[in-house]
Amino acid sequence: RRLRWWSIGLVLALVVAGGALAGARSLSTTEDVPALTDEEGRSLTLRGFSTAGSAKQAPDGLPDLRPADIEAEYADMGTNFVRFLISWRAVEPEPGHYDQAYLDGVAERVDWYAERGYHVMLDMHQDLYGTEIVPSHAVGNGAPGWATHSDGLPIGEHEMWELYYLDPGVIRAFDNFWNTTGEHPELRTHYVGAWEAVAERFADEPAVIAYDLMNEPYGGSLQGPAFEAGPLTSLYQSAADAIRTVDDSTWLCLEPQAMGVNWATPTGLGPVDDPRDGPARIAYCPHLYPLPMDLGSGYTGTTKTLVDGTVQTWLTNTLRTSERLGDVPVVLGEFGLDTTKPGALEYVDAVYDVADDHGFGVAYWSRDPGSWGPYDAEGEPRNLVAALDRPYPRSVAGAVGAIDADEHELTFDVSPSGGLTAEVYLPDDFSPGPGRPEVTVDGGEVSGWDGTRRVLEVMMDPEASEISIRAGS
Ligand SMILES: CN(C)c1ccc(C(=O)NC[C@H]2N[C@H](CO)[C@@H](O)[C@@H]2O)cc1
């Protein structure tokens, strides 16, 4: 069965990669997308982690996280963003009852991030529909038990968790949610109501920059454009309309279905209208998990070639979708891998280079301890920490284009406006020397240095089109 699943995936991956290789160029092309902006209209480059998978099954729905963990993450990698997992089952444990104690817990953790200058995206997370999709043991997460209707259809036992998505009972639970069965129109209404309750709570919290409306949507017996352009886009529109009755400023992140699109097939997601006064604040937030990487033994040899082809196809489709949804910003909401695999860090660099080149935000999957994450079970830094400690323009007064970063030089395209300042994160070894920073700036001049946060402030020349910061005088 495992072989059958992966053989389907491999055929799909070869089709995808083959298409890409036919026109293979470097992993990055030149187009870039607009950035998310903060309350002052500054362009943000978002760099951080999904935090955390530990929230999926936690009785209180909150991640295993302490303020010291955020301190360590910043000290090690200078992140400024978190994709914070929340769940419908914790927000609305009973129909129509919103758990303010849970939202207080989320708010406390949002404060931990806000106090350290982070931007928070609240991710209404689900995998395999909900916590009680298999009542006997925790397989899924997301929806509450009262919203889970598998109608007694069979759900098997699988070593590979992804295979549960093919079980009749799981498909039925999703079909009831999307009202494909016509039996449960109330479920999507409740889901939208849960989002309205979350938005009402965080509307006035400037650190909460975005709402990720649904993690890795799955259409059950509806797949592809029939699902994405149909009930999924419709749910997003309903959620947007409800959220905007209480929150006029937080960005709304739209994820495509995971099936296929995670692996670089194109999405059929339709445009969503933002009823707010002023420019739309809608972003496209796909995930990236090249099947050849899952199938292969690392980012080497033939696997590397296939993964590169998949990433190129994913990039082309992502840029096309950003344009189709209204030239919207892009946040790569998830990508990650077992960093003990050969070539893993080269892959991580390649994906961050694509994000830098096109102005995508990035949340690495995930902050959890272990072989995918930045820290081990004892909280000690792993190889990923050095790979993610990259210079980047955290926030800029004006538009930001392509970013080109290496360990001793950071260059980014700009169109300065407003206060003309750019806040730039520099890794600890970017400019060695006690009286740091010894840096050379073209396109502006140094107007401040926060040695504790390793943030350089640059006053940009009003006419600058590029800012370059080089280590050393
Ligand atoms: C068959 N379907 C619908 C499917 C298969 C595989 C994934 C997946 O690997 N997702 C990647 C990661 N994302 C979640 C959290 O959002 C993690 O648990 C997965 O590793 C998703 C859906």
Side-chain angles (χ1 to χ4, degrees), residues 261-463:
V261 185
N262 281 13
W263 313 325
T265 60
T267 179
L269 194 61
V272 170
D273 172 58
D274 186 346
R276 72 184 293 268
D277 292 335
R281 287 186 177 180
I282 299 274
Y284 176 56
C285 302
H287 296 178
L288 171 60
Y289 291 97
L291 264 183
M293 185 71 83
D294 284 354
L295 292 169
S297 56
Y299 191 57
T300 60
T302 306
T303 302
K304 179 176 185 301
T305 302
L306 290 172
V307 168
D308 286 347
T310 304
V311 173
Q312 177 61 46
T313 302
W314 178 90
L315 173 61
T316 301
N317 290 336
T318 297
L319 291 171
R320 184 181 293 147
T321 304
S322 160
E323 181 180 5
R324 184 165 57 81
L325 297 183
D327 289 322
V328 302
V330 172
V331 176
L332 170 54
E334 284 188 22
F335 95 97
L337 80 164
D338 177 348
T339 65
T340 66
K341 283 190 171 183
L345 297 187
E346 190 185 347
Y347 170 66
V348 169
D349 281 346
V351 173
Y352 273 86
D353 286 350
V354 166
D356 278 352
D357 209 36
H358 299 281
F360 299 170
V362 181
Y364 180 90
W365 180 268
S366 72
R367 183 64 172 72
D368 297 277
S371 65
W372 283 50
Y375 301 101
D376 65 18
E378 290 68 45
E380 292 301 313
R382 297 185 62 256
N383 61 354
L384 185 66
V385 164
L388 298 197
D389 190 18
R390 298 165 60 109
Y392 68 100
R394 293 166 51 94
S395 75
V396 174
V400 177
I403 301 166
D404 184 7
D406 66 29
E407 62 273 13
H408 297 303
E409 181 166 9
L410 171 67
T411 303
F412 51 97
D413 296 341
V414 290
S415 176
S417 66
L420 297 177
T421 56
E423 267 199 15
V424 178
Y425 169 75
L426 298 180
D428 198 34
D429 62 1
F430 188 94
S431 50
R436 300 182 334 120
E438 291 170 14
V439 296
T440 304
V441 176
D442 292 332
E445 57 187 28
V446 176
S447 53
W449 169 248
D450 178 339
T452 304
R453 296 168 61 237
R454 298 197 303 278
V455 172
L456 184 75
E457 186 186 81
V458 172
M459 180 61 72
M460 300 181 286
D461 299 342
E463 304 308 316

Side-chain angles (χ1 to χ4, degrees), residues 1 154-158 163-172 218:
R1 183 181 296 186
I155 298 175
E157 290 273 340
H158 306 290
L163 292 177
Y164 281 101
Y165 273 116
L166 307 180
D167 284 347
V170 174
I171 289 172
R172 176 58 61 85
Y218 181 66

Side-chain angles (χ1 to χ4, degrees), residues 191-217:
Y191 189 88
V192 168
W195 259 121
E196 185 173 337
V198 171
E200 187 164 29
R201 178 63 187 266
F202 293 100
D204 299 327
E205 172 49 79
V208 175
I209 187 99
Y211 302 131
D212 189 347
L213 297 183
M214 182 177 284
N215 175 69
E216 299 198 342

Side-chain angles (χ1 to χ4, degrees), residues 79-119:
T79 48
N80 69 342
F81 174 56
V82 58
R83 177 174 181 251
F84 189 88
L85 274 67
I86 63 174
S87 61
W88 181 17
R89 55 104 175 176
V91 172
E92 190 179 11
E94 294 304 328
H97 167 66
Y98 303 119
D99 186 340
Q100 291 307 324
Y102 168 68
L103 294 176
D104 289 345
V106 174
E108 182 183 12
R109 286 145 184 83
V110 167
D111 287 345
W112 295 349
Y113 283 103
E115 290 156 10
R116 294 165 175 84
Y118 279 74
H119 305 285

